[in-house]
Amino acid sequence: METLRERKKRRTRESLLRAALHLFTSQGYERTTVDEIAEAVDVSQRTFFRYFAGKEDVALAVQKMTEAAFVAAVRARPPHEAPMRALRQAFLEGWDSIRETVESVVPVELHLRMYRTIESTPALLAAHLRRSAATEETLARVLAEREGVDVDTDPRPRLAVAVFGGVIRVAERQWCTSEEFSLESIRTLTAEYLDQVGSALTGNWRTG
Amino acid sequence: METLRERKKRRTRESLLRAALHLFTSQGYERTTVDEIAEAVDVSQRTFFRYFAGKEDVALAVQKMTEAAFVAAVRARPPHEAPMRALRQAFLEGWDSIRETVESVVPVELHLRMYRTIESTPALLAAHLRRSAATEETLARVLAEREGVDVDTDPRPRLAVAVFGGVIRVAERQWCTSEEFSLESIRTLTAEYLDQVGSALTGNWRTG
DNA sequence: AGGCTAGTGACAGCCACTGACAGTTGACAA
DNA sequence: TTGTCAACTGTCAGTGGCTGTCACTAGCCT
């Protein structure tokens, strides 16, 4: 059961989040000040910083949710699956539940537009990549445990996750710049790219 | 021939760079202010910002040099080489010339210590990853041209580079945290990891 | 009802960074 | 050599992200 105080906090937090994303996507990340966000929700700037570690943090809050959901999805894969297959299936099958998680806080439309803002704002892209790196470290440990190997001596868990993450990012980037800007298209794009990794590594591409 | 004015500029720039790296590695990036760096070289803070775009920029200036050198090395590979082999050889064989480039500006020892600072400072790691992403985009275009494919319709150049970059970063990270902290060890580590990618992708690791 | 505490606003301050303007110094021609 | 111009630099003032402090209010709990 949620107490009144907790409800108020959650409302404030989500209002700040929505207001921030709205401002970022409509007038740009750099051209939006924290004061503006606070003003839009009618709280003090100081309060904003009590809910979010900073401007970057609020911009990437939804991404943080989806990454956590993805890690959970990988953890939930049956243990007999090979590592790369587990990652692939977690991504493709977990998509819908991730969508629901997002939608409970922020309109999906807004989230999608925010993706483009992140990709086109250097400061945000940098923060996003660092977060991805941290998630990859977590995933490497999950895979290592599934397979019963030591993550500190065996590089394969980290290598597998790094390759997977690389493919995801290529797909993300392609998706952001394309016109086919829907939740479904990133799934098909990712599946397609994952299938092509092998052929990409074993050029020669001219004859292939 | 270098004019007096140009020499002065270069000296100021390199002094700022060395002073900055020295301060960053000895007392930490966050705990170093731009005023301190400027003061150490006895110029105004405003002058610092005329030589470097910001605090991040000076921290990653040497990395920027090495990445540019690497891209050049890839461009110089014979065109009949397969893509992944070109990347691999450019990295392994270009190492010595890169070392010389670095040493002409900054002691190698300082550069190595800076690597650890970058890896352990969130803000710097983020900026470093973003720079890597930009370099990967450049490399993808180089590979696409070598192979005569269109980088906008064929995902394989970007995929190949993403995989390669992922492996490099895993090696970098491992190297930073190990005791074997020499220029030579990262080369052997990278070669080793590149060889293991295939096996990492085709678990099951328990039986392998 | 009244004390306790989480949450808040207001204020002051630090630091990265920028624009504007004036002073200085090297380059180059007369 | 000297005068002129352009490049370079310092000073100053200001913006914006972010933090510490402290008094105050509002919800919680007995």
Side-chain angles (χ1 to χ4, degrees):
Chain A
M1 185 53 195
E2 212 180 20
T3 172
L4 169 57
R5 191 178 271 173
E6 287 168 334
R7 257 179 293 150
K8 258 187 137 172
K9 275 186 72 173
R10 198 164 53 77
R11 263 207 304 272
T12 306
R13 196 191 133 88
E14 291 176 6
S15 297
L16 280 169
L17 178 55
R18 275 190 294 268
L21 295 192
H22 204 267
L23 288 167
F24 292 159
T25 53
S26 60
Q27 64 185 19
Y29 176 75
E30 321 266 11
R31 279 184 300 282
T32 303
T33 67
V34 174
D35 286 321
E36 244 174 319
I37 301 168
E39 198 179 358
V41 184
D42 205 47
V43 296
S44 74
Q45 189 217 47
R46 195 67 186 87
T47 293
F48 171 90
F49 284 107
R50 290 193 176 101
Y51 283 94
F52 297 98
K55 208 174 144 184
E56 264 177 28
D57 190 39
V58 66
L60 299 175
V62 183
Q63 269 69 25
K64 191 175 175 178
M65 287 172 52
T66 63
E67 288 189 11
F70 175 61
V71 171
V74 174
R75 282 212 167 90
R77 298 303 305 175
H80 58 81
E81 267 184 340
M84 287 301 283
R85 169 120 189 120
L87 293 176
R88 179 198 174 103
Q89 293 306 103
F91 188 87
L92 297 179
E93 295 181 13
W95 203 239
D96 293 323
S97 73
I98 289 175
R99 179 206 167 98
E100 283 170 26
T101 314
V102 169
E103 202 150 27
S104 70
V105 183
V106 157
V108 181
E109 155 74 10
L110 190 54
H111 176 223
L112 294 188
R113 274 191 290 136
M114 194 59 212
Y115 241 106
R116 281 193 171 151
T117 306
I118 292 170
E119 206 80 21
S120 62
T121 306
L124 285 184
L125 181 57
H128 175 59
L129 292 174
R130 191 195 54 208
R131 180 180 292 296
S132 301
T135 303
E136 285 181 21
E137 176 64 19
T138 306
L139 285 175
R141 290 175 188 280
V142 171
L143 289 195
E145 198 181 349
R146 279 169 61 99
E147 298 293 308
V149 301
D150 180 12
V151 75
D152 290 317
T153 56
D154 189 337
R156 291 175 302 176
R158 288 206 178 97
L159 288 173
V161 171
V163 170
F164 183 82
V167 176
I168 295 285
R169 245 166 282 124
V170 172
E172 256 179 10
R173 200 163 141 46
Q174 184 66 34
W175 170 72
C176 276
T177 57
S178 85
E179 292 93 37
E180 191 53 32
F181 194 61
S182 70
L183 271 174
E184 197 46 47
S185 68
I186 186 165
R187 185 182 344 207
T188 58
L189 203 59
T190 303
E192 194 183 307
Y193 283 7
L194 282 172
D195 290 335
Q196 292 196 50
V197 174
S199 128
L201 295 186
T202 60
N204 176 324
W205 302 331
R206 271 168 289 211
T207 62
Chain B
M1 184 51 193
E2 212 181 20
T3 171
L4 168 59
R5 186 175 273 174
E6 287 168 335
R7 256 178 294 151
K8 259 187 136 170
K9 275 185 70 173
R10 198 164 53 78
R11 265 208 303 273
T12 306
R13 197 191 133 87
E14 291 177 4
S15 297
L16 280 169
L17 178 55
R18 275 191 294 269
L21 295 192
H22 204 268
L23 288 166
F24 291 159
T25 54
S26 60
Q27 63 184 24
Y29 176 75
E30 322 265 14
R31 278 183 301 282
T32 303
T33 67
V34 174
D35 285 320
E36 244 175 318
I37 301 168
E39 197 180 357
V41 183
D42 206 46
V43 296
S44 74
Q45 189 217 48
R46 196 69 185 84
T47 295
F48 171 90
F49 284 107
R50 291 195 175 100
Y51 283 94
F52 297 98
K55 210 175 144 184
E56 262 178 29
D57 189 39
V58 65
L60 299 176
V62 181
Q63 269 69 25
K64 191 175 176 177
M65 288 173 51
T66 63
E67 287 190 12
F70 175 61
V71 172
V74 173
R75 284 213 166 90
R77 296 305 304 176
H80 58 79
E81 266 183 341
M84 286 302 282
R85 170 128 189 112
L87 293 175
R88 180 197 174 102
Q89 293 306 105
F91 187 86
L92 297 179
E93 295 180 15
W95 203 241
D96 292 324
S97 74
I98 289 175
R99 179 205 166 97
E100 283 170 27
T101 314
V102 170
E103 201 150 29
S104 70
V105 183
V106 158
V108 181
E109 155 74 11
L110 190 55
H111 176 224
L112 294 188
R113 273 190 291 137
M114 193 61 211
Y115 242 105
R116 282 193 171 153
T117 305
I118 292 170
E119 206 79 21
S120 62
T121 306
L124 285 183
L125 181 58
H128 174 60
L129 291 174
R130 190 194 56 208
R131 182 181 290 298
S132 300
T135 304
E136 284 181 22
E137 176 64 21
T138 306
L139 285 175
R141 290 176 189 278
V142 171
L143 288 195
E145 200 182 347
R146 280 170 60 100
E147 298 293 310
V149 302
D150 180 11
V151 76
D152 290 319
T153 57
D154 190 337
R156 290 176 301 177
R158 287 205 177 97
L159 288 173
V161 171
V163 170
F164 183 82
V167 176
I168 294 285
R169 244 166 282 124
V170 172
E172 256 179 9
R173 201 164 140 48
Q174 184 66 34
W175 170 71
C176 276
T177 57
S178 85
E179 292 92 38
E180 191 53 33
F181 194 59
S182 69
L183 271 173
E184 196 46 46
S185 68
I186 187 166
R187 187 186 336 211
T188 58
L189 202 60
T190 302
E192 193 182 309
Y193 283 8
L194 283 171
D195 290 335
Q196 293 195 51
V197 175
S199 130
L201 294 186
T202 60
N204 178 322
W205 302 330
R206 271 168 287 211
T207 62

